Amino acid sequence: MTVTRSTRRARRGFLLRRIGWLAAAAMLAVAAIAPTSVAAANPQPQDNACNNIGSGGRSPDFVWTTVGTDGVTAHWAIDANHFDAANFATVTVRVCVFDANGPDQGGIDQNTENDGVQLFAWSLLGYNADPCPSNDLTFGSSVDSPAVQTKKSNFIDCPAGEPSTAPSTEPSTAPSTEPSTQPSTEPSTAPSTEPSTAPSTEPSTQPSTEPSTAPSTEPSTEPSTPPSTEPSTEPSTAPSAAPSTQPTGGVEGVTGTPGVTPPPTDTLTSGTHAPASDGWRAILVLLAAVLVGTLVASQPRQARRRA
């Protein structure tokens, strides 16, 4: 039996359509079940992170904080009883520098690898260099994941400078000069001069001058000038200027302090979103949809049965 060209073409088209359907199904399966990629560490400044860290209970067995010359580092436990890195690949990490005499400085790293440690550099937290030691600064951090709600570290202070335990010079226990126990001069017990008990001059009980009880000048009871009862100027009963009954026409402007509405203080800026590292999933789904649409549109019509 001879196979016609149209039959071969139909078989080839059927095979190609089957391959296309299989390819579309494979794309959709990969997009659905492939593991989620982990974004690289990308800490960003975010002062609102301090609101998350500053209140609530402490969980030092989950999260703890250290401070060094490079910045503030958040640490967290990744075993199965804590953040379980074996089953959860990413966490969100926050740190904050609380300043008693200035604004608090915070940072956040979203969707970062669940590896147990993340450094936030001083420059990211608003400092040109290590600000420690400083009695005004306190530090803290927090971590959360899809499986564990936020856990917060204890607060720590700036590390103090390392004290020196070795003296610059060994102390000397020997005196530079042996002390002398003998006095330089024998003390004298006899006074140099016999004290005198008689006064040098007899005191005088008579005053040097008799006091005077008479005044030097008789007081005068008459005034030096007779008082004057006449006024110096005749009083005037006429006003100096006729009062004006016409208004000036000026209207004083109303003055006052305009009311100012303070800006809201509870507005929080949104955190930095993690980079779109799973965009390839959307591309695979789109390609699969295009392929399915093409296969459906190119489906051949079934030939009518001949009578």
Side-chain angles (χ1 to χ4, degrees):
M1 180 178 180
T2 304
V3 179
T4 63
R5 181 178 301 173
S6 61
T7 301
R8 288 195 298 271
R9 186 180 298 112
R11 289 178 178 175
R12 189 180 300 113
F14 175 77
L15 181 61
L16 291 175
R17 282 194 297 276
R18 174 170 290 183
I19 293 174
W21 283 111
L22 291 175
M27 291 179 187
L28 292 175
V30 171
I33 66 176
T36 303
S37 60
V38 178
N42 186 31
Q44 300 289 328
Q46 189 193 71
D47 295 344
N48 288 333
C50 296
N51 298 334
N52 175 278
I53 300 168
S55 60
R58 307 288 114 189
S59 301
D61 55 328
F62 278 81
V63 185
W64 59 99
T65 307
T66 59
V67 177
T69 56
D70 295 333
V72 182
T73 302
H75 306 263
W76 62 96
I78 62 175
D79 59 275
N81 294 327
H82 295 88
F83 282 96
D84 195 5
N87 295 308
F88 300 95
T90 62
V91 293
T92 297
V93 186
R94 299 175 179 86
V95 302
C96 180
V97 182
F98 299 95
D99 190 342
N101 291 324
D104 299 334
Q105 306 282 353
I108 188 171
D109 192 359
Q110 294 179 310
N111 194 37
T112 192
E113 184 178 0
N114 189 6
D115 59 358
V117 61
Q118 181 59 54
L119 170 68
F120 290 77
W122 288 121
S123 58
L124 183 141
L125 298 173
Y127 295 93
N128 294 328
D130 182 1
C132 290
S134 171
N135 295 331
D136 299 330
L137 302 181
T138 305
F139 308 90
S141 61
S142 70
V143 180
D144 61 77
S145 75
V148 182
Q149 66 180 137
T150 303
K151 301 295 183 182
K152 305 169 187 181
S153 75
N154 286 336
F155 297 117
I156 66 170
D157 298 327
C158 267
E162 292 294 328
S164 173
T165 56
S168 56
T169 305
E170 291 294 327
S172 174
T173 56
S176 57
T177 304
E178 291 294 328
S180 173
T181 58
Q182 298 296 325
S184 58
T185 305
E186 291 294 328
S188 173
T189 59
S192 58
T193 305
E194 290 295 327
S196 173
T197 58
S200 58
T201 306
E202 291 295 325
S204 174
T205 58
Q206 298 298 322
S208 58
T209 305
E210 291 295 326
S212 174
T213 58
S216 59
T217 306
E218 290 295 325
S220 174
T221 58
E222 295 296 327
S224 58
T225 305
S228 174
T229 58
E230 295 296 328
S232 59
T233 307
E234 292 293 326
S236 173
T237 58
S240 58
S244 174
T245 59
Q246 297 296 326
T248 59
V251 179
E252 294 293 335
V254 177
T255 61
T257 303
V260 179
T261 303
T265 58
D266 57 347
T267 303
L268 302 182
T269 58
S270 60
T272 305
H273 296 287
S277 58
D278 295 332
W280 58 272
R281 298 177 187 271
I283 296 175
L284 279 180
V285 173
L286 180 61
L287 290 176
V290 172
L291 184 55
V292 169
T294 302
L295 292 173
V296 171
S298 63
Q299 182 72 24
R301 297 178 181 178
Q302 296 182 353
R304 295 180 181 178
R305 295 182 179 179
R306 295 181 180 180

